[in-house]
């Protein structure tokens, strides 16, 4: 195997599959492995290199599968291990690699370990796998400190002991149904090394690591100065007690040894909401993880200056540890870019700021999202596409309250609607039951007119977002992958750069059309040029130079 093929991930396009909403192959209203297997040719034809599948493990789905009850199995609503193996074999046969989600920070409260911990009582080895503490106050009725869950409310929950008395408190950064593991316990560390081997032996090509900056905690840390911290954000203090602790790097060095023991080596991608970028780079040293999501870029507003700062920072800082940058516009936790870019406030938020307030111009948002796609796909490094992004799907903002399932809705006291709006099942056909998602409805209701945004509708339109993505992904393979980005001097409201001596990308953020730099050929544009060949506002062009 050549070094280039071993390092496929350095410039890969990875497609995120939120499996519950991708395709339903069994007719129960929920996406599953059978539906995904049926649609593998679609993903191959789209032109991606790999799939990242959100959690498919057994789970009560209190947090969309990130509350895992068994890390070595498949939830029956999605399929079974035999089907998973078939999926892996079929994907590999089509040239697609498969990444899974791993959730090492916590388990479900339905996990056998946590059930054992509750039954065994204080001080038991079973409780030492999780973070249990006595409460404060004369009767222990107050939580150990003021730490809050990023889903809202306290990060501590009191249990009832086996004898029926009020008991200890357990710690959960996220939902109450997601108790945190104690990673100071060697048994926890050994367990996850074995879980990694289990899936690698099955044929999985790598893992996306959920909350990769969590796990290690200073449980003797102080109360925190909370203000308006949002989902996955943290109070702006140094030496945070449960995010980005230095001890997490020892864990990943052990994980890297496991990945490198396979031929070809397996891949790790960090979901680490870490700032500044220099802190993120520490996760990507050559004996730790391979790659990380670029949340600075995702959160940037539609602005030439802001995006250029993010691009420069990402490339420069990550190059210091030999890691490639990655680029991402959407995922299952943030508002869809078509909606976000159609607002006055175009930056992505988290938590209570996840969705901006104000009217949305979807035509404007779509126009900008098309340009953003060409910008993202022309940058050096890898990129992620969230399912439906290639169709230009908007955020569904008017889901009925009774249909909402994100725990943010309940834990916020019904003041924050949560992330369900970007998780509505995909439309595959113009008509039919759930627009081709499945034969018997969908677990979240699809809005009226969803079929007009379907794959079938897009394939009939040569100017659709899908057509743009397919063409861009095909042409992208001819961009000199090893060539760095070099900026071209131009107007302040225009981003223009070259990759090598033959390719350039230009994006116009200004109000007036921009003159394109000298070029041999216009390879692709996100929208029509003006009659005299200028680049309109909110439009991108790829040029052969």
């Amino acid at each position: 195997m050549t070094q280039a093929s071993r390092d496929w991930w350095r410039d890969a396009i990875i497609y995120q599959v939120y499996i519950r909403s991708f395709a339903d192959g069994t007719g129960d209203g929920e996406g599953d492995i059978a539906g995904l297997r049926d649609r593998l040719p679609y993903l191959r034809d789209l032109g991606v290199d790999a799939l990242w599948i959100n959690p498919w493990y057994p789970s009560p789905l209190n947090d969309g599968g990130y509350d895992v009850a068994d890390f070595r199995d498949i939830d029956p609503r999605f399929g079974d291990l035999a089907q998973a193996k078939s999926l892996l074999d079929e994907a590999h046969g089509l040239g697609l690699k498969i990444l899974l989600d791993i959730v090492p920070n916590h388990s479900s409260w339905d996990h056998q370990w946590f059930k054992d911990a509750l039954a065994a009582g204080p001080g038991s080895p079973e409780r030492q796998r999780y973070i249990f503490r006595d409460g404060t106050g004369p009767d222990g009725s107050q939580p150990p400190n003021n730490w809050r869950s990023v889903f809202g409310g306290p990060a501590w929950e009191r249990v009832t002991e086996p004898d029926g008395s009020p008991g200890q408190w357990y710690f959960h950064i996220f939902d109450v149904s997601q108790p945190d593991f104690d990673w100071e316990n060697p048994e926890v560390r050994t367990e996850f090394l074995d879980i990694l081997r289990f899936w690698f032996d099955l044929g999985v090509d790598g893992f996306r690591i959920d909350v990769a900056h969590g796990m290690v905690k200073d449980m003797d840390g102080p109360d925190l100065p909370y203000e308006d911290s949002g989902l996955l954000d943290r109070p702006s203090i140094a030496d945070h007690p449960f995010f980005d602790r230095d001890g997490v790097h020892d864990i990943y060095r052990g994980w890297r040894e496991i990945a490198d023991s396979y031929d070809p080596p397996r891949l790790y991608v960090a979901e680490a909401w870490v700032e500044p970028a220099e802190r993120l780079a520490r996760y990507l040293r050559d004996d730790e993880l391979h790659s990380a999501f670029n949340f600075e870029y995702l959160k940037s507003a539609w602005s030439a200056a802001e995006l250029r700062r993010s691009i420069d920072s990402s490339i420069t800082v990550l190059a210091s540890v030999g890691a490639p940058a990655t680029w991402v516009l959407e995922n299952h936790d943030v508002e869809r870019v078509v909606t976000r870019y159609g607002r006055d406030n175009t930056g992505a938020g988290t938590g209570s700021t996840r969705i901006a307030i104000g009217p949305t111009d979807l035509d404007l948002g779509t126009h900008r999202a098309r340009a953003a796609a060409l910008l993202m796909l022309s940058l050096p490094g890898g990129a992620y596409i969230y399912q439906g992004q290639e169709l230009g799907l908007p955020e569904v903002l008017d889901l009925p309250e009774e249909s909402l399932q994100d725990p943010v809705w309940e834990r916020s006291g019904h003041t924050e609607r949560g992330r369900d709006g970007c998780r509505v099942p995909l439309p595959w056909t113009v008509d039919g039951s759930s627009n081709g998602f499945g034969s018997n409805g969908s677990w979240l209701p699809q809005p009226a007119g969803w079929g007009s945004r379907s794959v079938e509708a897009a394939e009939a339109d040569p100017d659709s977002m899908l057509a743009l993505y397919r063409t861009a992904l095909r042409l992208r393979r001819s961009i000199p992958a090893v060539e760095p980005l070099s900026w071209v001097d131009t107007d302040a409201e225009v981003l223009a750069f070259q990759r090598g001596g033959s390719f350039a990308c230009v994006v116009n953020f200004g109000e007036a059309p921009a003159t394109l730099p000298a070029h041999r050929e216009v390879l692709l544009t996100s929208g029509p040029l003006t009659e005299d060949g200028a680049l309109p506002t909110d439009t991108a062009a790829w040029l052969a130079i």
Side-chain angles (χ1 to χ4, degrees):
M1 177 170 288
T2 66
Q3 189 61 41
S5 60
R6 291 171 67 91
D7 290 347
W8 63 271
W9 49 272
R10 298 188 71 89
D11 61 355
I13 301 296
I14 299 177
Y15 186 95
Q16 180 186 354
V17 174
Y18 193 80
I19 191 164
R20 197 180 181 193
S21 296
F22 185 71
D24 173 15
T26 59
D28 64 356
E30 296 187 278
D32 46 42
I33 294 174
L36 177 54
R37 289 171 66 186
D38 286 344
R39 302 294 183 177
L40 285 176
Y42 166 81
L43 298 171
R44 174 203 58 199
D45 295 344
L46 180 60
V48 301
D49 301 294
L51 314 181
W52 151 38
I53 303 173
N54 287 100
W56 59 7
Y57 314 105
S59 168
L61 293 183
N62 289 316
D63 182 24
Y66 285 92
D67 47 323
V68 180
D70 184 345
F71 288 89
R72 295 181 183 83
D73 205 353
I74 306 289
D75 194 300
R77 76 188 78 200
F78 301 139
D80 57 33
L81 285 170
Q83 290 176 300
K85 177 59 176 171
S86 296
L87 169 69
L88 289 165
D89 292 343
E90 291 166 10
H92 291 159
L94 293 173
L96 298 169
K97 292 181 169 58
I98 299 289
L99 309 182
L100 299 185
D101 237 309
I102 192 165
V103 190
N105 182 72
H106 50 263
S107 75
S108 166
W109 60 10
D110 282 357
H111 193 287
Q112 189 59 50
W113 271 16
F114 192 69
K115 294 178 180 179
D116 293 344
L118 294 180
S124 64
E126 289 84 356
R127 285 217 174 167
Q128 291 170 10
R129 297 164 171 163
Y130 294 89
I131 301 173
F132 280 85
R133 294 291 185 273
D134 294 332
T136 59
D139 57 357
S141 62
Q142 297 300 311
N145 57 36
N146 80 330
W147 296 352
R148 296 200 311 220
S149 159
V150 295
F151 285 170
W156 295 94
E157 182 73 10
R158 198 175 194 187
V159 305
T160 300
E161 300 298 353
D163 64 4
S165 64
Q168 291 185 303
W169 298 71
Y170 67 87
F171 183 66
H172 58 94
I173 294 179
F174 297 95
D175 189 55
V176 65
S177 66
Q178 296 166 292
D180 281 30
F181 288 115
D182 186 349
W183 275 85
E184 300 301 323
N185 186 334
E187 188 177 3
V188 173
R189 298 191 179 212
T190 299
E191 171 73 358
F192 272 88
L193 292 178
D194 188 72
I195 291 167
L196 295 174
R197 291 188 187 97
F198 175 87
W199 290 105
F200 288 155
D201 289 347
L202 194 70
V204 168
D205 299 288
F207 281 102
R208 175 263 194 190
I209 305 169
D210 185 59
V211 198
H213 58 308
M215 298 145 77
V216 173
K217 284 98 173 169
D218 175 12
M219 298 310 298
D220 295 322
D223 282 357
L224 294 176
Y226 288 102
E227 294 176 356
D228 296 320
S229 184
L231 176 67
L232 300 179
D233 288 342
R234 59 181 187 173
S236 298
I237 64 170
D239 195 29
H240 194 283
F242 55 85
F243 283 141
D244 194 27
R245 306 290 303 174
D246 288 344
V248 77
H249 299 286
D250 288 334
I251 295 170
Y252 292 138
R253 291 185 185 99
W255 284 29
R256 182 60 176 261
E257 291 179 3
I258 298 293
D260 287 349
S261 71
Y262 287 81
D263 186 18
R266 304 311 197 236
L267 170 68
Y268 297 124
V269 180
E271 184 218 25
W273 294 80
V274 174
E275 295 177 351
E278 288 77 7
R279 293 291 297 183
L280 179 62
R282 299 174 76 241
Y283 289 76
L284 306 181
R285 291 172 287 195
D286 61 9
D287 61 346
E288 294 189 44
L289 308 178
H290 300 81
S291 179
F293 292 107
N294 190 335
F295 292 116
E296 179 186 358
Y297 186 81
L298 181 150
K299 294 167 69 175
S300 296
W302 182 246
S303 153
E306 190 166 336
L307 286 167
R308 179 165 177 167
R309 280 194 301 269
S310 175
I311 292 166
D312 281 339
S313 171
S314 301
I315 293 173
T316 301
V317 172
L318 296 183
S320 69
V321 292
T326 65
W327 315 102
V328 58
L329 294 171
E330 294 187 11
N331 65 31
H332 64 294
D333 285 330
V334 298
E335 187 176 49
R336 285 198 179 270
V337 71
V338 163
T339 299
R340 174 160 58 96
Y341 279 176
R343 290 200 168 109
D344 290 338
N345 177 9
T346 56
T350 58
S352 59
T353 63
R354 193 185 78 85
I355 293 179
I357 303 301
T360 299
D361 182 340
L362 287 182
D363 288 338
L364 174 62
T366 299
H367 199 68
R368 289 172 169 172
R370 291 174 64 92
L374 294 196
L375 172 60
M376 177 183 77
L377 294 176
S378 60
L379 293 169
Y384 288 81
I385 298 171
Y386 176 50
Q387 64 178 47
Q389 180 179 328
E390 79 278 15
L391 301 176
L393 294 184
E395 187 86 2
V396 180
L397 299 170
D398 57 354
L399 286 169
E401 291 185 357
E402 62 272 14
S403 72
L404 298 178
Q405 299 192 27
D406 191 331
V408 172
W409 173 242
E410 291 296 332
R411 291 191 64 81
S412 68
H414 296 177
T415 61
E416 298 176 26
R417 292 176 64 87
R419 300 159 292 173
D420 289 323
C422 64
R423 302 176 178 182
V424 174
L426 294 189
W428 291 92
T429 59
V430 174
D431 300 305
S433 174
S434 63
N435 297 114
F437 169 70
S439 60
N440 192 27
S442 59
W443 69 279
L444 281 174
Q446 297 167 315
W450 206 231
S452 66
R453 303 180 182 277
S454 66
V455 172
E456 181 183 25
E459 288 182 329
D461 179 4
D463 296 322
S464 68
M465 186 80 82
L466 178 60
L468 180 72
Y469 267 89
R470 284 177 171 171
T471 302
L473 289 172
R474 175 176 54 82
L475 291 175
R476 183 180 184 271
R477 299 187 184 279
S478 65
I479 299 174
V482 298
E483 294 293 342
L485 175 151
S486 59
W487 295 104
V488 175
D489 290 335
T490 185
D491 184 270
E493 290 302 309
V494 176
L495 286 186
F497 59 85
Q498 293 182 203
R499 299 279 307 282
S502 60
F503 175 85
C505 176
V506 185
V507 188
N508 183 11
F509 295 81
E511 295 183 0
T515 301
L516 290 173
H519 58 277
R520 293 185 294 108
E521 180 185 359
V522 176
L523 300 173
L524 182 64
T525 62
S526 63
L529 300 179
T530 64
E531 290 185 1
D532 58 355
L535 189 67
T537 185
D538 296 325
T539 306
W542 285 4
L543 307 175
I545 56 176

